[in-house]
Amino acid sequence: MPAIPNRPVRVRFAPSPTGYPHLGNIRTALFNWLFARHHRGKFILRVEDTDVTRKVEGAIETMMDSLLWLGLDWDEGPYFQSQRLSLYQETASRLIETGHAYLCYCSLERLEAVRQEQMKQKQPPGYDGHCRNLTQRERAEMEAKGIKPVVRFKMPLEGETTFHDLIRGQITFRNETMSDFILLKSDGYPTYHLANIVDDHLMDISHVLRADEWVSSTPRHILLYQALNWQPPQFAHLPMILGTDKAKLSKRHGATAINEYQEEGYLPDAMVNFLTLLGWSLDDHTELLSRDELIQHFSLERVSRTGAVFNKVKLEWMNGVYLRKLNPEEYVERATPFLERGLPPSVRRPLDLTYVNRIMPLVQERAKTLAEIPQLTDFFFMDELSYDTEILPGKGLDTTTATRILEVALQELETVEPWDSQSLESTLRQLSAGLSLSTGKFFGLLRTSVTGRTATPPLFQTMAILGKETSLRRLRAVLQKLSPSQ
RNA sequence: GCCCUCAUCGUCUAGAGGCCCAGGACGUCAGCCUUUCAAGCUGAAGAUCAGGGGUUCGAAUCCCCUUGAGGGCACCA
């Protein structure tokens, strides 16, 4: 239920284009999206590009690609804050006029010196209010010197600011612990605090769902709403996604950019399911939920308050589950791009789709990610097998017996007709019995001979798909390899 | 240093006073199935509910303290 009745749910995801989308960013987007869809509200995309110096080229595009990849479609936007500068500037002026903000001419050097001194005195760092009460004349002097001022918010010196967090409950800050933060930078761009509240107000945002790291700036935002006489939205601070060291996710935690998961062959649905469970749960046993179920059941009440360590092994498991659930056509469709990209260059492109269609069912329950498929199936596509000769002749067999077995098998296989898995199975099982050889050893030898691997999909189906010619050719090649004259 | 938040198996979590000497999932281990690898099935190990005080007939659940962890304190978001 929306916290404010009669107010339509409008939420936003507001990334800044300063890097590639993170698991954490995406999870925030996801919760916003789920919340909007659950309440039949709007999900808005807003780009907070107010830091000219940190802008990364292509970041927005990657962000949007990632959202779309996961199926997180937005209803409005993207809006760009860099195109709305006058809005923030006007608001800043209004705040100055009403006595809630002031111009500050302090140099970066002075601010740094103040900070150093505060650190030395073991005081909390923060602006000392130097320009808070400049006279008309002092300001004129600064202007005359050509100093571009910033606009600072005039923090109340006493009292406290409280807000109700939908996930955490009441949170209170003493105003004296907060200093006069900057609203408008000297280049005319707003800081996050200003742009954020102006846009949330103008865009009629009903709920702000954002990461935990924002709680301590929320009182500043509340105070700004009050100064502007605007009604603040509801706040809900989401638990963060942590690295294995329990610290805030960053580049040093390895693969955290969402597009890497796409490249590693994870399915959007698995990703969405898994990410939702990082900080939200339905009950004490449900792990697998479809997108619709997620939308239907999602609620802020069931969002947890503790940070969650991202556990890739469990993601792999879940992705395997989703992979196995795919119908054969979808599976091939998903797998093909990975095969095209991952198979050795020597394999002729484009791949024979009919052939691919026959192979894929054999690996569907064996791969945890799409990216594993090429290495699981490359022997189907390669002309020349390259493998470790150590795996021949195989456990419990010496070269002489292996050779004899292969010769007999070869002879027998030449007569197999039709070359399908049933005929192969009956022929080879009989032969195995005839040779008084355990199926383990016998099929194992054939397996390595025909595939160059010790672990493969079931032997008969594999041979059937490989075809008679290729299978026999590979068996002969092994005999060559084993012969002493070599 | 100051402020805020959080605290249940290795990890994700269930639990909103008695149903809990704590349930599920991943992972781990063992067994079954089996031509290998997977998948599947069965079972096991794994949390003195961070520690200490209260409140209560009764606390993982409420209160206080301690400790630990995380986040914030920028002309970054």
Side-chain angles (χ1 to χ4, degrees):
Chain A
M1 72 202 103
I4 301 176
N6 305 325
R7 188 167 184 186
V9 167
R10 289 174 59 83
V11 294
R12 66 353 184 235
F13 174 53
S16 66
T18 53
Y20 295 116
H22 231 214
L23 278 171
N25 304 143
I26 291 296
R27 209 281 310 262
T28 299
L30 173 60
F31 277 25
N32 273 282
W33 182 84
L34 286 170
F35 187 75
R37 294 290 170 263
H38 176 86
H39 292 290
R40 301 182 184 286
K42 299 288 188 222
F43 177 57
I44 296 152
L45 180 59
R46 183 171 81 214
V47 179
E48 311 224 318
D49 53 349
T50 54
D51 188 346
V52 196
T53 59
R54 290 207 309 159
K55 187 179 161 126
V56 170
E57 218 48 55
I60 304 157
E61 287 71 18
T62 312
M63 175 64 72
M64 295 199 290
D65 286 349
S66 299
L67 290 175
L68 292 175
W69 174 59
L70 290 171
L72 309 185
D73 52 331
W74 54 94
D75 305 300
E76 287 178 30
Y79 297 115
F80 293 87
Q81 292 188 326
S82 59
Q83 293 169 10
R84 302 161 59 84
L85 296 183
S86 59
L87 258 22
Y88 315 120
Q89 288 160 358
E90 282 159 20
T91 308
S93 305
R94 189 176 141 197
L95 284 165
I96 294 173
E97 283 159 23
T98 55
H100 291 288
Y102 61 92
L103 294 168
C104 166
Y105 299 87
C106 290
S107 66
L108 259 21
E109 292 71 33
R110 195 189 98 80
L111 294 176
E112 183 53 29
V114 169
R115 219 178 340 261
Q116 289 301 327
E117 185 58 23
Q118 286 164 332
M119 300 287 256
K120 212 195 292 176
Q121 306 282 333
K122 301 214 184 264
Q123 294 286 310
Y127 185 61
D128 62 356
H130 183 77
C131 295
R132 190 165 163 131
N133 296 303
L134 289 186
T135 61
Q136 191 78 281
R137 183 199 308 212
E138 285 168 319
R139 240 178 294 141
E141 265 171 40
M142 294 302 200
E143 295 287 347
K145 284 192 208 158
I147 299 174
K148 287 249 179 270
V150 301
V151 177
R152 282 184 188 273
F153 184 69
K154 200 179 270 183
M155 276 304 282
L157 269 10
E158 47 193 37
E160 46 190 33
T161 301
T162 296
F163 66 95
H164 180 82
D165 187 285
L166 260 18
I167 293 171
R168 282 148 216 283
Q170 205 95 318
I171 301 178
T172 302
F173 288 79
R174 293 207 320 279
N175 293 337
E176 64 191 69
T177 63
M178 297 176 278
S179 62
D180 295 350
F181 59 97
I182 293 175
L183 297 171
L184 209 60
K185 306 178 222 177
S186 54
D187 63 2
Y189 277 73
T191 58
Y192 170 82
H193 304 296
L194 211 216
N196 178 63
I197 63 117
V198 168
D199 282 345
D200 282 349
H201 176 255
L202 260 25
M203 295 176 188
D204 203 19
I205 298 301
S206 62
H207 298 74
V208 171
L209 317 190
R210 67 203 340 175
D212 216 9
E213 52 189 326
W214 294 107
V215 270
S216 44
S217 24
T218 307
R220 291 169 237 270
H221 302 161
I222 298 281
L223 254 11
L224 271 172
Y225 282 108
Q226 284 172 4
L228 260 2
N229 228 323
W230 290 343
Q231 153 136 72
Q234 296 271 300
F235 292 94
H237 289 94
L238 274 17
M240 301 208 297
I241 295 183
L242 278 17
T244 6
D245 58 356
K246 302 234 177 200
K248 185 174 166 179
L249 222 44
S250 69
K251 313 94 224 154
R252 68 199 162 78
H253 288 107
T256 60
I258 196 77
N259 50 309
E260 292 180 47
Y261 291 88
Q262 182 176 9
E263 282 159 27
E264 285 175 30
Y266 291 91
L267 257 22
D269 282 354
M271 215 64 207
V272 163
N273 190 160
F274 182 77
L275 248 21
T276 306
L277 256 23
L278 238 42
W280 179 87
S281 64
L282 175 62
D283 52 32
D284 62 346
H285 64 277
T286 310
E287 302 282 338
L288 269 14
L289 294 107
S290 71
R291 210 170 274 261
D292 286 345
E293 289 170 322
L294 252 17
I295 291 171
Q296 187 192 335
H297 296 296
F298 185 80
S299 75
L300 256 23
E301 290 79 59
R302 293 201 62 84
V303 172
S304 77
R305 275 145 298 150
T306 45
V309 174
F310 176 75
N311 179 201
K312 194 171 179 179
V313 178
K314 186 163 179 177
L315 203 217
E316 279 171 16
W317 161 77
M318 191 173 279
N319 199 57
V321 173
Y322 275 85
L323 240 23
R324 273 173 252 129
K325 276 201 296 207
L326 252 32
N327 66 46
E329 296 74 39
E330 253 179 306
Y331 194 85
V332 170
E333 196 180 314
R334 294 276 186 186
T336 306
F338 283 85
L339 284 169
E340 295 279 4
R341 207 176 332 137
L343 252 14
S346 58
V347 175
R348 208 182 309 110
R349 310 294 205 287
L351 301 167
D352 176 352
L353 268 187
T354 317
Y355 191 49
V356 171
N357 262 293
R358 296 181 66 202
I359 298 166
M360 288 304 103
L362 264 43
V363 288
Q364 183 157 5
E365 65 180 31
R366 293 178 166 74
K368 288 203 186 72
T369 66
L370 294 166
E372 289 171 5
I373 298 175
Q375 44 162 5
L376 247 30
T377 57
D378 58 5
F379 59 83
F380 277 110
F381 298 93
M382 303 193 314
D383 286 332
E384 201 64 28
L385 245 32
S386 63
Y387 53 84
D388 191 352
T389 44
E390 303 261 303
I391 63 177
L392 281 169
K395 252 187 241 131
L397 289 173
D398 57 58
T399 311
T400 327
T401 17
T403 306
R404 274 218 36 231
I405 293 165
L406 284 175
E407 275 166 353
V408 178
L410 196 53
Q411 211 169 55
E412 199 70 25
L413 284 169
E414 270 162 3
T415 70
V416 170
E417 202 59 54
W419 186 266
D420 59 26
S421 83
Q422 287 87 342
S423 324
L424 284 165
E425 175 154 15
S426 63
T427 306
L428 291 172
R429 280 200 189 279
Q430 274 175 45
L431 191 53
S432 161
L435 290 165
S436 324
L437 245 187
S438 75
T439 48
K441 278 182 194 167
F442 185 41
F443 298 161
L445 175 60
L446 291 175
R447 179 193 320 285
T448 49
S449 303
V450 159
T451 66
R453 301 285 178 79
T454 51
T456 72
L459 179 63
F460 314 122
Q461 295 174 56
T462 300
M463 289 175 72
I465 290 170
L466 270 173
K468 187 170 191 173
E469 193 200 318
T470 305
S471 301
L472 297 185
R473 178 160 40 83
R474 289 185 179 173
L475 288 176
R476 289 192 197 99
V478 170
L479 277 171
Q480 281 286 322
K481 240 175 233 170
L482 291 180
S483 85
S485 61
Q486 263 273 295

